[in-house]
Amino acid sequence: MKVLTFAGSLRQKSLNKKLCHFVENFVGTEKLAEVEFVDLQSLSIPIYDGDVEASSGIPQGILSLIEKIQGCDALIISSPEYNGSISSALKTTLDWVSRHPSNALSGKHVLLLAASPGALGGVRGLWHGRVPLEVLGCHVYPEMFGLSKAHENLTDTNDIQDAKMKERLQSLVKKYLEFCKKS
């Protein structure tokens, strides 16, 4: 089974990228699946604009991401909460991906995660993130995970210091991947 993970954040030291790397390390170490992290920053994705699409087509970075989505069995997305909603990086990525005739996201299983310095761990944004994913035909896993106080909880080596939160996320990822294997 192949798992693709990415963060709905562009910042180099993003907490959500760190959370993706935690998942990547966990899945790889436990040999639960083959896993790949994609950094959206490296794809140079412009904000969706129909005029840009009409004149230049779908950006190469998006075409590369679409190819990776098509080749995976499951997606794990960790995204920050921006003003109680979805991050602009995630939204514009989904908008561009949706423009390709293949509808690469349709039928894909998605697990949503968030990391935030706040007490709610970014979960409010995940509720908003479910909407475009479901509209695009994704099967969004019912349970989500938000890591609160992520700036204190995530180490420089992409580990989670809070043992209960770490165990909860590991358990969720295992359940999600088991579900994907059965589907």
Side-chain angles (χ1 to χ4, degrees):
M1 184 163 78
K2 290 185 179 183
V3 177
L4 183 68
T5 184
F6 64 86
S9 176
L10 303 178
R11 196 168 54 87
Q12 194 172 27
K13 294 186 179 184
S14 161
L15 296 170
N16 286 279
K17 286 182 185 179
K18 284 184 161 199
L19 193 58
C20 284
H21 289 307
F22 170 82
V23 169
E24 178 184 30
N25 293 337
F26 172 69
V27 170
T29 301
E30 296 291 315
K31 297 182 170 86
L32 300 173
E34 184 181 322
V35 63
E36 179 182 4
F37 170 76
V38 174
D39 188 345
L40 296 183
Q41 176 66 22
S42 69
L43 301 180
S44 302
I45 302 169
I47 291 176
Y48 177 75
D49 179 337
D51 291 337
V52 170
E53 182 184 10
S55 67
S56 306
I58 296 173
Q60 186 56 47
I62 289 293
L63 294 174
S64 170
L65 180 62
I66 288 169
E67 187 176 312
K68 290 179 184 298
I69 292 170
Q70 289 171 330
C72 79
D73 301 299
L75 286 163
I76 299 176
I77 301 171
S78 184
S79 189
E81 173 186 311
Y82 288 173
N83 301 311
S85 190
I86 188 172
S87 76
S88 55
L90 179 56
K91 179 67 169 90
T92 204
T93 298
L94 296 176
D95 289 343
W96 273 113
V97 169
S98 75
R99 300 302 300 158
H100 193 272
S102 71
N103 193 6
L105 288 166
S106 182
K108 294 293 179 180
H109 293 285
V110 180
L111 176 63
L112 291 175
L113 313 175
S116 171
L120 299 178
V123 172
R124 291 181 303 179
L126 296 182
W127 286 108
H128 291 259
R130 295 181 75 88
V131 174
L133 288 163
E134 289 174 350
V135 166
L136 293 171
C138 293
H139 304 290
V140 183
Y141 197 68
E143 191 175 345
M144 301 179 292
F145 177 86
L147 181 64
S148 60
K149 298 182 182 177
H151 63 299
E152 297 170 359
N153 259 320
L154 285 165
T155 68
D156 290 338
T157 58
N158 305 318
D159 199 6
I160 298 174
Q161 293 189 60
D162 182 315
K164 287 183 182 180
M165 292 296 275
K166 181 176 180 173
E167 185 180 322
R168 186 172 153 241
L169 178 54
Q170 290 172 328
S171 174
L172 173 59
V173 169
K174 279 184 180 179
K175 285 191 308 186
Y176 167 68
L177 294 177
E178 287 170 10
F179 170 79
C180 291
K181 286 177 185 176
K182 293 177 186 175
S183 298

